Amino acid sequence: MKLNFRLHAGNEVQDRALALGSLPSPRAQSGRLEIQAGGKTAQADWAEISPGTYSILLGEHSWDVRIEKQPGEAAGSATVYIVLLGARAYRLELANPRRRRRAEAAGAHEGPQEILAPMPGRIVKVLAAEGSEVQQGESLLVIEAMKMQNEIRAPRTGKVERIYVAEGAGVETGARLLRLV
Amino acid sequence: MKLNFRLHAGNEVQDRALALGSLPSPRAQSGRLEIQAGGKTAQADWAEISPGTYSILLGEHSWDVRIEKQPGEAAGSATVYIVLLGARAYRLELANPRRRRRAEAAGAHEGPQEILAPMPGRIVKVLAAEGSEVQQGESLLVIEAMKMQNEIRAPRTGKVERIYVAEGAGVETGARLLRLV
Amino acid sequence: MFKKILIANRGEIAVRVMRACREMGIQTVAVYSDADRTSLHVRYADEAVHIGPSPSTRSYLRIDRVIEAARRSRAEAIHPGYGFLAENPDLARACTKAGIVFIGPTAEAMELMGSKTASRHAAIASKLPVVPGTDRNLESLDEVKRLAEKIGFPVMLKAAAGGGGKGLRKVESAAELESAYRTARSEAQNAFNDPSVYLEKYIEQPRHVEIQVLGDHHGNLIYLGERECSLQRRHQKVVEECPSPLVDEDLRRRMGETAVRIAALAGYTNAGTVEFLVDRDRNFYFLEMNTRLQVEHPVTELVTGVDLVKAQLRIAAGERLTLRQEDIRMRGWAIECRIYAEDPANSFFPSPGLITYLRPPSGPGVRVDSGSYVGWRVPLEYDPLLAKLVVYGDSRASAIARLERALVEYEVSGIRTNIPFFRSVAAHPDFIAGRLDTGFIDRFLADGFPRREMPEPEAQLVAMLVAALESRREAAGAVTPVPATNAWKTGGRESLLSSWPARR
Amino acid sequence: MFKKILIANRGEIAVRVMRACREMGIQTVAVYSDADRTSLHVRYADEAVHIGPSPSTRSYLRIDRVIEAARRSRAEAIHPGYGFLAENPDLARACTKAGIVFIGPTAEAMELMGSKTASRHAAIASKLPVVPGTDRNLESLDEVKRLAEKIGFPVMLKAAAGGGGKGLRKVESAAELESAYRTARSEAQNAFNDPSVYLEKYIEQPRHVEIQVLGDHHGNLIYLGERECSLQRRHQKVVEECPSPLVDEDLRRRMGETAVRIAALAGYTNAGTVEFLVDRDRNFYFLEMNTRLQVEHPVTELVTGVDLVKAQLRIAAGERLTLRQEDIRMRGWAIECRIYAEDPANSFFPSPGLITYLRPPSGPGVRVDSGSYVGWRVPLEYDPLLAKLVVYGDSRASAIARLERALVEYEVSGIRTNIPFFRSVAAHPDFIAGRLDTGFIDRFLADGFPRREMPEPEAQLVAMLVAALESRREAAGAVTPVPATNAWKTGGRESLLSSWPARR
C-alpha cells in the first residue's frame, strides 16, 4: 500500500509517498517492515514502547520517536501529526483518500464550518454576534482554562451563522462553539 | 461485614477484626467507608491511586499506602499482604473463611504439598531425590534467575514423593517443582 | 524547630515544601479543594484538611479557612508557597492574630514592598537606582503626557497593583498615549480592582535579573547571587538560570549589595527576591521585590548549595543564619524550564486531563520538582505548571547540553506539554550564546512552532513510518481526542500561530 | 574528542555512558541481544547492533562480535561499562589490534591489577600495606596449615581468580581447615575454571573503603576521595557512600596517596578504584584494584563535582587531566542504594517481569541512574540491577534524611524490588550512627524482614483497610500472580528467612 504525506517546515511544504507491504495489525506491538520512499528501500524494525512512543531501527540506526496527533484535520481531510525526533519537532499530514472523498462529496471544505473548543474550559467572553461578518484571524470568543484566557480566532473570513455557547458556560474539548458560513 | 486479620511482627502475632458496611465494588476507585475495629469507629475516605497504591484519609490523617500481595497463602488459607506505610513494612494475613473450609475439607494442610517455583528461572541443581526424607529447611533444588542462584528449601519435614523438573529445565513462576508428603 | 506546619498551597511547591519538612522531621498539614483530593500534596502530607470547592476563591484564597485548618490541626506555622496568599499581608496578620508563625516577612514589609510605587519611592529616597519614571499613581492624562515627554518615548504604562504581566502597555509615541492610558486603567481595574497606573521608561531589549536575599530575625541579611529570568512568554518567566551570563563578580556584588539595602529598607526577613532590569550597557534598575519564595528558587539552590526552603523554616523558627555573606560561593551553572500543561503546537492552549504516561528525565545533574504522577487528572481550575525541570552542570555550556539531553528524555502522554517547545529553545543559537532578553521568546515564536526546518531524508522516512504505524489505531476506529468531522480546523491554528507576535 | 563510540554493555550503565556522550556531542552505538531489543540503551543510542541471543556468553561476552560491531559502525572507541568484558584484557588487546581505542587502562595494567595475587605481590614489593597472608597460590594443604597457624585464626581462603564473593571461605580454627580448603578449591574451579586459592588474615568487623583514581596518558594520576562500601549482602555491595564516616582528612590523604602509588605500579591510566579493608583501629590494607568504572561512581561525582564518565572519555581521547590533586574538594555527602528486581519479603528471590508502574523519587538532591521504564519487561537473563538511587545532602545526617524521604517516594509495580528493605535500613539506628561494617546487613536480616515492630493502632487500622480494599479484586476473581491452591507455602518462606544468616 502507499501512503501520501505532506511535510511542513514553516511555509515550505513537500509531498512524499511511503510504500509498505501493509499496515501491521492495530494490536501488534512490534515487527519488521520493508518500506520504500524516494526510490529507496529500507528494512525497519519497529516496536511501540508506550502510547505514542516508538523505537525504530532503520538498518542499524536507532530512532526513539514520539508522535502526537493534532486535534482537527488539515485541508483535504488529512490527519495532522507532530513528530518529535530528538530535539526536533516536525509537522506532517497523512492524507486519507476515503475521508477526502467523503469531505469533497459533502462539499465540507467550501461550506459551513463548525468551530469546536480546542480545550475544556469556561467561556468568559463571546466577541462575535450571530449574523456578523468576521475577518480571518478576528477574535470570536475567549475560553478560560487553567487561569489562562485563550482567544479563539476565525480560521477564515465568513459570517457567524450560529453561536452555540453563552458567557459563563463550561465546555469540553470538541464542544461546538459556533458555526461559520 | 467483618474481616479477620492476623498481624505479624517477628514472632509476635496479633489477631484483629475489621468491621465495615460492605466492600466497595471492584470497579470503584474511590469512596468513603465507616470502619470499626477495637470498639472504635472511624470515617475513611479512600482512593486507589495506581495498582496497589491507596490514599487514605482517616479523619484528617493522610496515609499513602502501598500494598503487595505475597505469592502463596498462609496457614489456614489466608491471603498474605505486605503493607508499606512510609518507611515501615508490615506483614498481614487476611483470613478467607471460604477457602479455609475448602482447604480443611480437602485436608490440604496436613496432606501432600506441592512446592511451586517462586520465580521464573532455570533449574540448575536438583538436590533431593524422589522417595527421600527431607528435614524442614533442607535444600531441595536450586533455581537460577538474573545471574543469582536461589535455593528452594523444604517448608517442613517430609518425604519427596515426586520431582517434576529436571536439571537444565526452564520454569515459570508457579510451576510445580516437587511434591512433599 | 516546628513540630508541625501547614502548607497553604498545592502542586509542585506544596510538595517541595513538604519534602523539606519530611527531611527535617516536621509533620505537614495539607489543605485541599474538591479538585485536589488525590493531588500529590494531599498524598504527601501527614494530615490533609479540606477547605472548600474547586475555585481558588472558595478554597486556597480563603484566609479564614486556612487559619481554621491550621488551628484545628495545631500547626505551629504556615508556609504559603508562591501565588495564592503568598504575598497577601492579611494572611500574615491573621497568622499573628491566631498565634501562628507566618513563614515569610512581616505584613508591614510585605505591604511596603508589595506596592510597586511605595517600594520605588522608598528606593528613590535612599538614592537607589530605579527605572526613570513616576514614583506614584498618575491621576490625569495631562500628567501622563507631560511625564512621558520628559522621560522620552518609548514608555511603559503599568498597573500599580499589578503582576504577572497584566495591565502592562508599551507606548511608542505621544499619539498612542491616550488610548493606551484608557486601556491600561481599564485592564488594571478588571484584573486588580484598582485602576491606578504609573509610567516608566521602556528599556530596549531589557534583561530581567533578580537577586535572592535571606534575612533572619537577628539583623542578618545576605544575598545569594542572581538569577537571569529574561526568557518570558506573555510576560511570564519560562526559563531561568543561575548565574546570569551577563553578570560578572563586580556587577554581582553591586547588585547584591543594592538588593540587601532595598530589603533592609523594609526590615525584611525570610526569603525574598529583588528584581532588576538591566539595560544593554549593564546599568541596573530596581523593579520590584517579590516577598516570597520564587518558582525558580532551585537554580540558586543548585549553584550555592543552600536549601532555601530549609533556610526559610529555620529563619521562621527564630534561628540565626549560620551563613555569612562570605560563605556564599557559586559553583557551576543551573537552568530551569517550567513544564506546563499546554500545547505549543496549538497556540499554547491549556491541556488539562489525565496523565497516562510519564518518564521524567534523570541521571547526573537533573532535578525535577513535580506535583504530578501517572493516573492523576490535571485539573482545569489551577495554573498549568506541572513540574520544573532543573539541570546543573559545571559550566553554562555543559548545563545547556544537559538541558537538551533531559528534555529529549522527558516523556509525557495523555496531556500536551511545552517540552517540545523547550527542546527547540535549548537548541537555539541565541540561547546557547547567552543572547537573552525579554523579547527572545516572542521573536522565536514569530518563526512558528514546529520550526522551519525540513527533516533530512532518513528522518523524513522515520517520521512517515511512525505516522503510518500510529494511524493503524485510527483506521481501526480507536478513540480520537476530537471528533474527526467538522473539527476545529488546522487552518485556524495556523493563522493563530502566524498572528502570534501581534497578540498580547 | 571522539565522534562516535560503542558501549559494550546494557542496562543503567550503558544509559549512563550514553547520557555523557549525548551531552558531549558524541554519537553512540549500542549492542544488544535478543532479550534487549526494547531495552532503554537501544532506544537511547544513535545506532544499535544486534550481537546475538539472550545468554550473555553468546552476546555481551563475545569479544569478536563487539569488535565487529564497532568496526561496522565505525566507532572510534569502546566503553565497556562494568561487568561483562570490562575487566577482560582480551577486549583491550582486541581493540588495539583493530585500531579502536579501549576506554580504560591498558591490557597489561589490567592483567597486573586483575590478578589479586600479582597485585598483592607488587604492593608488598613496594612496601605498601596488604592484609597479612600469602601472596601466591597455595599448592598443598600442608602449606595452608602452616601459613594459617603463622597468621593466626580466623583466616579467609579466597579464589585467586575470584570476585563477587565467590570462592570465599572464612575458617575459624585448624579443625575446619581441610574441608574449607577442598570446598574453596572446588568452588573456585566451578566459578572461574581455576582452583587456585590463597590465604588471608580475617579482619574482624572490617570496613570496606575504596579510593577512586584517575590517570591520564601524560603521567598525571590523582585520587578523588574515598567511598565507604561496607554494607554488603552476599558479599555484594548494596549501599555506598562518599565520604566514609570513618575517614578524616589525614586518613584520606594517606589512603589516597597509597592508592595513587599502587595505580602507578601498573602505569595505570583512566578511571580505577583501589579497594582497602580498614580494621577497627583504622589500619588500612590494600585488597585489590578494580580496573574499570565502578557501579557506585555517582557518589564520588556528587561530592567532588567531577563527572567521571566524561573524564574517562577525555582521558581515552588523549586529553590531559585539567584537574590537579589540589583541585579536588569534597563538598557534602552522597549515598547510593542499588535498586534490584528482587523480593525482600521473599528471601530476596529475583523478580523479573513487566514494570507496570513507576514513580521514581525526585526533588532536591536526588539522582536516579536507571535503565528501566514503564512497559519494559525486566529480562530473566541478566543481573537484577534496575537503577541506582543516589542522594546528596550537605551532611551525612541530611543525606540520610533525604534517602529515607526518596525511598518512601519510590514506587514500582509489576515486579518486586528491594526498596522496602532499604527503607528499613535507612531508618536503622546503627546506619544513622555510621556504625557500618560488612556484617551489618546479615545481622540486620537476622531479625527478619519485615521487621519485628507491631504497628501502632491507627496504622493497624489503615493496613487492614487497605488489605480489605485490595482484596476486592481477588474476591471478584481477578488474576493473582501465583495459583491460589497448593501454592508454594508461606511457611517455606518463613523458614528461609529465619535460616538466612546461616546461608552464604
Side-chain angles (χ1 to χ4, degrees):
Chain A
M1 69 185 288
K2 203 168 149 190
L3 296 168
N4 292 306
F5 289 94
R6 175 161 288 183
L7 278 78
H8 292 249
N11 293 328
E12 201 191 337
V13 161
Q14 291 185 9
D15 286 319
R16 293 272 180 276
L18 180 75
L20 72 176
S22 68
L23 274 184
S25 139
R27 257 181 250 113
Q29 292 197 313
S30 63
R32 283 165 179 280
L33 282 171
E34 190 175 285
I35 55 177
Q36 290 183 311
K40 278 188 185 165
T41 301
Q43 296 298 326
D45 177 323
W46 67 276
E48 189 174 2
I49 296 295
S50 62
T53 299
Y54 292 82
S55 168
I56 304 289
L57 295 181
L58 210 63
E60 287 175 345
H61 288 198
S62 174
W63 297 83
D64 205 50
V65 189
R66 189 144 176 78
I67 184 163
E68 298 179 344
K69 183 172 175 294
Q70 289 303 103
E73 45 188 56
S77 302
T79 308
V80 182
Y81 294 102
I82 302 293
V83 179
L84 307 173
L85 296 171
R88 297 194 175 184
Y90 300 107
R91 190 179 126 90
L92 175 148
E93 295 174 10
L94 171 58
N96 183 329
R98 253 178 314 165
R99 267 215 211 127
R100 186 184 309 201
R101 277 193 300 274
R102 243 188 293 145
E104 280 165 3
H109 197 54
E110 297 301 307
Q113 183 176 353
E114 302 278 358
I115 309 296
L116 306 186
M119 78 202 99
R122 200 171 55 85
I123 307 295
V124 289
K125 238 171 228 163
V126 176
L127 299 160
E130 285 190 359
S132 63
E133 300 285 340
V134 292
Q135 298 298 309
Q136 179 176 339
E138 197 176 322
S139 282
L140 301 174
L141 37 73
V142 180
I143 303 184
E144 186 179 286
M146 305 188 100
K147 305 270 136 187
M148 304 278 278
Q149 303 207 344
N150 309 280
E151 297 180 21
I152 307 300
R153 292 167 176 249
R156 60 175 172 83
T157 297
K159 187 175 146 186
V160 176
E161 192 186 65
R162 175 103 192 262
I163 298 176
Y164 300 105
V165 290
E167 286 183 9
V171 292
E172 288 302 311
T173 300
R176 290 190 303 180
L177 301 175
L178 43 75
R179 182 182 178 86
L180 205 61
V181 291
Chain B
M1 68 185 290
K2 203 167 147 191
L3 296 167
N4 292 307
F5 288 94
R6 177 161 285 184
L7 278 78
H8 292 249
N11 293 328
E12 200 191 338
V13 161
Q14 291 185 8
D15 286 318
R16 293 271 180 276
L18 179 76
L20 71 177
S22 69
L23 274 184
S25 139
R27 257 181 249 114
Q29 292 197 311
S30 63
R32 282 165 180 281
L33 281 172
E34 190 176 286
I35 55 178
Q36 289 182 311
K40 279 188 184 165
T41 300
Q43 296 297 327
D45 177 322
W46 67 277
E48 189 174 1
I49 296 295
S50 61
T53 299
Y54 292 82
S55 168
I56 304 289
L57 295 181
L58 209 63
E60 286 176 345
H61 287 198
S62 175
W63 297 85
D64 206 51
V65 188
R66 191 145 174 77
I67 183 163
E68 298 179 344
K69 183 172 175 292
Q70 289 304 102
E73 45 188 57
S77 301
T79 309
V80 182
Y81 294 103
I82 302 294
V83 179
L84 308 173
L85 296 171
R88 297 193 175 185
Y90 299 107
R91 188 178 128 91
L92 176 148
E93 296 174 9
L94 171 57
N96 184 330
R98 252 178 315 167
R99 265 214 213 128
R100 187 183 307 200
R101 276 194 299 275
R102 242 188 296 144
E104 280 164 3
H109 196 55
E110 297 301 306
Q113 183 176 355
E114 302 278 356
I115 310 295
L116 307 186
M119 78 202 101
R122 201 171 53 85
I123 307 295
V124 290
K125 238 173 230 163
V126 177
L127 299 160
E130 284 190 359
S132 63
E133 299 286 339
V134 292
Q135 297 299 310
Q136 179 175 337
E138 197 176 321
S139 283
L140 301 175
L141 36 74
V142 180
I143 304 184
E144 186 178 285
M146 305 188 98
K147 305 268 135 190
M148 304 278 278
Q149 302 207 344
N150 309 279
E151 297 180 20
I152 307 300
R153 290 167 178 250
R156 59 173 172 84
T157 296
K159 187 176 147 186
V160 176
E161 191 186 67
R162 177 108 191 258
I163 298 176
Y164 300 105
V165 289
E167 286 183 8
V171 292
E172 288 302 311
T173 299
R176 289 190 303 179
L177 301 175
L178 43 77
R179 183 183 178 86
L180 205 60
V181 289
Chain C
M1 184 43 65
F2 308 117
K3 289 198 175 57
K4 191 194 279 186
I5 73 163
L6 181 144
I7 294 90
N9 216 303
R10 63 178 299 283
E12 69 85 18
I13 192 60
V15 175
R16 166 69 186 95
V17 174
M18 289 178 196
R19 280 175 166 153
C21 290
R22 210 178 260 188
E23 290 172 13
M24 293 172 82
I26 300 169
Q27 296 274 304
T28 54
V29 182
V31 292
Y32 68 100
S33 71
D34 288 349
D36 274 331
R37 164 63 186 91
T38 57
S39 288
L40 197 54
H41 74 290
V42 175
R43 295 176 56 195
Y44 210 93
D46 296 300
E47 299 176 31
V49 181
H50 180 253
I51 52 163
S54 302
S56 49
T57 46
R58 300 174 64 195
S59 50
Y60 297 107
L61 291 171
R62 287 282 300 262
I63 292 175
D64 55 341
R65 296 200 176 162
V66 168
I67 295 284
E68 171 55 23
R71 263 214 193 99
R72 205 163 62 225
S73 57
R74 294 169 201 241
E76 294 155 83
I78 293 180
H79 194 299
Y82 53 72
F84 292 132
L85 299 169
E87 292 180 281
N88 188 329
D90 292 340
L91 175 62
R93 257 191 290 269
C95 282
T96 311
K97 211 175 135 198
I100 296 164
V101 175
F102 177 78
I103 301 169
T106 60
E108 294 68 37
M110 229 188 261
E111 255 159 1
L112 175 58
M113 288 297 155
S115 159
K116 281 185 197 170
T117 46
S119 64
R120 185 182 157 84
H121 193 86
I124 291 169
S126 296
K127 305 203 187 318
L128 295 168
V130 300
V131 180
T134 63
D135 59 339
R136 57 193 164 73
N137 303 335
L138 297 172
E139 277 157 29
S140 73
L141 183 59
D142 276 357
E143 198 181 359
V144 171
K145 275 186 183 149
R146 194 170 40 79
L147 282 165
E149 298 291 351
K150 193 174 138 199
I151 295 167
F153 289 95
V155 296
M156 285 292 270
L157 279 167
K158 298 188 167 188
K166 276 172 192 149
L168 276 179
R169 266 258 160 328
K170 179 182 172 187
V171 189
E172 300 280 358
S173 68
E176 297 175 16
L177 204 54
E178 185 170 341
S179 112
Y181 176 68
R182 294 229 171 87
T183 322
R185 278 181 66 89
S186 133
E187 280 186 11
Q189 174 67 41
N190 287 339
F192 312 109
N193 203 25
D194 175 359
S196 311
V197 294
Y198 65 101
L199 192 69
E200 262 178 17
K201 172 85 187 148
Y202 178 78
I203 311 276
E204 301 275 358
Q205 298 201 350
R207 296 176 74 134
H208 183 117
V209 178
E210 60 187 30
I211 303 283
Q212 174 72 50
V213 299
L214 275 181
D216 66 16
H217 295 280
H218 308 275
N220 301 302
L221 197 51
I222 60 172
Y223 62 91
L224 293 96
E226 78 283 3
R227 291 184 288 260
E228 164 89 45
C229 307
S230 297
L231 295 200
Q232 307 190 350
R233 200 177 74 79
R234 287 181 154 184
H235 299 286
Q236 294 273 19
K237 301 166 190 169
V238 292
V239 181
E240 300 98 345
E241 58 190 280
C242 174
S244 162
L246 181 79
V247 175
D248 58 18
E249 272 302 327
D250 174 62
L251 184 56
R252 177 172 305 125
R253 191 184 43 74
R254 287 189 292 124
M255 290 180 77
E257 287 171 0
T258 304
V260 163
R261 284 182 60 195
I262 286 166
L265 293 177
Y268 198 86
T269 49
N270 216 290
T273 295
V274 181
E275 299 198 336
F276 294 96
L277 278 190
V278 185
D279 70 17
R280 281 180 289 194
D281 304 319
R282 309 209 311 164
N283 299 303
F284 61 91
Y285 309 97
F286 169 61
L287 207 56
E288 60 176 312
M289 182 162 185
N290 294 314
T291 59
R292 53 164 161 82
L293 187 69
Q294 297 277 83
V295 177
E296 61 270 25
H297 73 275
V299 291
T300 300
E301 294 185 323
L302 287 170
V303 170
T304 62
V306 177
D307 189 310
L308 290 171
V309 175
K310 289 183 181 171
Q312 283 194 296
L313 294 166
R314 292 197 189 99
I315 287 168
E319 292 183 19
R320 269 172 195 281
L321 273 178
T322 51
L323 292 162
R324 291 152 305 168
Q325 190 60 55
E326 58 269 30
D327 298 326
I328 305 302
R329 294 217 190 89
M330 318 268 281
R331 173 166 123 172
W333 209 285
I335 306 178
E336 172 183 287
C337 288
R338 300 187 185 191
I339 310 300
Y340 288 117
E342 63 184 15
D343 188 354
N346 198 1
S347 305
F348 291 88
F349 279 149
S351 183
L354 184 69
I355 299 177
T356 57
Y357 196 88
L358 198 54
R359 188 166 68 93
S362 190
V366 174
R367 166 175 166 183
V368 179
D369 277 22
S370 164
S372 47
Y373 62 86
V374 174
W376 182 57
R377 192 170 283 281
V378 184
L380 188 61
E381 287 84 359
Y382 309 111
D383 94 33
L385 184 66
L386 286 177
K388 301 179 311 203
L389 168 63
V390 201
V391 297
Y392 175 77
D394 55 8
S395 65
R396 188 166 191 272
S398 77
I400 289 178
R402 186 157 281 171
L403 179 65
E404 189 176 328
R405 185 268 286 175
L407 286 164
V408 170
E409 288 179 18
Y410 212 147
E411 202 182 325
V412 184
S413 292
I415 57 168
R416 300 295 157 86
T417 72
N418 56 356
I419 292 167
F421 163 73
F422 282 131
R423 291 182 188 169
S424 294
V425 171
H428 194 284
D430 283 351
F431 178 67
I432 292 169
R435 289 190 294 266
L436 315 170
D437 67 77
T438 56
F440 175 94
I441 299 283
D442 284 349
R443 289 195 305 276
F444 176 88
L445 284 171
D447 279 347
F449 179 87
R451 311 204 21 94
R452 303 179 186 281
E453 292 152 1
M454 199 51 85
E456 33 123 1
E458 185 174 326
Q460 291 188 12
L461 202 59
V462 170
M464 289 190 290
L465 170 60
V466 168
L469 290 167
E470 186 70 2
S471 76
R472 287 176 302 150
R473 296 280 147 75
E474 210 198 342
V479 180
T480 53
V482 169
T485 47
N486 284 328
W488 184 77
K489 301 280 173 168
T490 309
R493 188 173 58 74
E494 292 280 275
S495 73
L496 281 175
L497 278 176
S498 50
S499 70
W500 169 251
R503 298 167 70 203
R504 250 213 334 126
Chain D
M1 183 43 65
F2 307 117
K3 287 196 178 59
K4 190 193 280 185
I5 73 163
L6 181 143
I7 294 91
N9 216 304
R10 63 179 299 283
E12 70 85 18
I13 192 60
V15 175
R16 165 69 187 94
V17 174
M18 289 178 196
R19 279 175 165 152
C21 290
R22 210 179 260 187
E23 290 173 13
M24 293 171 83
I26 301 170
Q27 296 275 304
T28 54
V29 183
V31 292
Y32 68 100
S33 71
D34 287 349
D36 274 331
R37 164 63 185 89
T38 57
S39 289
L40 197 54
H41 74 289
V42 174
R43 296 175 55 195
Y44 210 93
D46 296 300
E47 299 176 31
V49 182
H50 179 254
I51 53 163
S54 302
S56 50
T57 46
R58 299 174 65 196
S59 49
Y60 296 107
L61 290 172
R62 288 282 299 262
I63 293 175
D64 54 341
R65 296 200 176 161
V66 168
I67 295 284
E68 172 55 25
R71 263 214 192 100
R72 204 163 62 225
S73 57
R74 294 171 202 244
E76 295 154 83
I78 293 179
H79 194 300
Y82 53 71
F84 293 132
L85 299 169
E87 292 179 281
N88 188 330
D90 292 341
L91 175 61
R93 256 190 291 268
C95 282
T96 311
K97 210 175 137 198
I100 295 164
V101 175
F102 177 77
I103 301 170
T106 60
E108 293 69 35
M110 228 188 264
E111 257 159 0
L112 176 58
M113 287 296 156
S115 159
K116 280 185 198 168
T117 46
S119 63
R120 186 182 155 84
H121 194 84
I124 291 170
S126 297
K127 304 202 188 318
L128 295 168
V130 300
V131 180
T134 63
D135 60 338
R136 57 191 166 74
N137 303 335
L138 296 172
E139 278 158 29
S140 72
L141 181 59
D142 276 357
E143 197 180 0
V144 171
K145 275 185 183 150
R146 195 171 39 82
L147 281 165
E149 298 290 351
K150 194 173 139 199
I151 295 165
F153 288 96
V155 297
M156 286 291 271
L157 279 168
K158 298 188 166 187
K166 276 172 192 149
L168 276 180
R169 265 260 159 329
K170 179 182 170 187
V171 189
E172 299 280 359
S173 67
E176 297 174 17
L177 204 55
E178 185 170 343
S179 114
Y181 176 67
R182 294 228 171 87
T183 321
R185 278 180 65 92
S186 134
E187 279 186 13
Q189 174 66 41
N190 287 340
F192 311 110
N193 203 24
D194 175 358
S196 311
V197 294
Y198 65 102
L199 192 68
E200 261 178 18
K201 172 85 187 149
Y202 178 78
I203 310 276
E204 301 275 356
Q205 298 200 350
R207 296 176 72 134
H208 183 118
V209 177
E210 60 186 30
I211 302 284
Q212 175 72 51
V213 300
L214 276 180
D216 67 14
H217 294 280
H218 308 276
N220 301 302
L221 195 52
I222 60 171
Y223 62 92
L224 293 96
E226 77 283 3
R227 290 184 289 259
E228 165 89 45
C229 307
S230 297
L231 295 199
Q232 307 190 350
R233 200 177 73 79
R234 285 182 156 184
H235 299 285
Q236 295 273 16
K237 301 167 189 166
V238 291
V239 181
E240 300 98 346
E241 58 190 282
C242 174
S244 162
L246 182 79
V247 175
D248 58 17
E249 272 301 329
D250 173 62
L251 184 56
R252 178 172 304 125
R253 190 184 43 73
R254 287 189 292 125
M255 290 180 77
E257 286 170 0
T258 303
V260 163
R261 283 182 60 195
I262 286 167
L265 292 177
Y268 198 87
T269 50
N270 217 290
T273 294
V274 181
E275 299 198 337
F276 295 95
L277 277 192
V278 184
D279 69 17
R280 281 180 289 193
D281 303 320
R282 310 210 308 162
N283 299 304
F284 61 91
Y285 309 96
F286 169 60
L287 207 56
E288 59 176 312
M289 183 164 185
N290 294 316
T291 59
R292 53 164 161 84
L293 188 68
Q294 297 278 85
V295 177
E296 60 271 24
H297 73 275
V299 291
T300 299
E301 293 186 323
L302 287 169
V303 170
T304 62
V306 177
D307 189 312
L308 290 171
V309 175
K310 289 183 182 172
Q312 283 194 296
L313 294 167
R314 292 198 189 99
I315 288 168
E319 292 183 20
R320 267 171 196 282
L321 273 178
T322 52
L323 292 161
R324 291 152 307 169
Q325 189 60 54
E326 58 270 30
D327 298 327
I328 305 302
R329 293 216 191 90
M330 318 268 280
R331 174 166 123 172
W333 208 287
I335 306 179
E336 173 183 288
C337 288
R338 300 187 184 191
I339 310 300
Y340 287 118
E342 62 185 16
D343 188 352
N346 197 0
S347 304
F348 290 90
F349 279 150
S351 182
L354 184 70
I355 299 177
T356 57
Y357 196 88
L358 198 55
R359 188 166 69 92
S362 190
V366 174
R367 166 175 166 183
V368 180
D369 277 23
S370 164
S372 46
Y373 61 86
V374 174
W376 183 58
R377 191 170 283 281
V378 183
L380 188 62
E381 286 83 359
Y382 310 111
D383 94 35
L385 184 65
L386 286 177
K388 301 179 311 204
L389 167 62
V390 201
V391 296
Y392 176 77
D394 55 8
S395 64
R396 187 166 191 271
S398 77
I400 289 178
R402 186 157 281 170
L403 178 65
E404 190 177 329
R405 185 269 286 174
L407 285 164
V408 170
E409 288 179 19
Y410 211 147
E411 202 182 323
V412 184
S413 293
I415 57 168
R416 299 295 156 86
T417 72
N418 56 357
I419 292 167
F421 163 72
F422 282 131
R423 291 183 188 169
S424 294
V425 171
H428 195 283
D430 283 351
F431 178 68
I432 292 169
R435 288 190 294 266
L436 314 171
D437 67 77
T438 56
F440 175 94
I441 299 283
D442 284 349
R443 289 195 306 275
F444 176 87
L445 284 171
D447 278 347
F449 180 85
R451 314 212 7 103
R452 303 180 186 280
E453 293 152 2
M454 198 52 84
E456 33 124 3
E458 185 173 325
Q460 291 188 12
L461 201 60
V462 170
M464 290 190 289
L465 170 60
V466 168
L469 290 167
E470 186 69 2
S471 76
R472 288 177 301 150
R473 297 280 147 74
E474 211 199 340
V479 179
T480 53
V482 169
T485 48
N486 284 327
W488 183 76
K489 300 281 173 169
T490 309
R493 187 172 59 74
E494 293 279 275
S495 73
L496 281 175
L497 278 176
S498 47
S499 70
W500 169 252
R503 299 167 69 201
R504 251 207 344 120

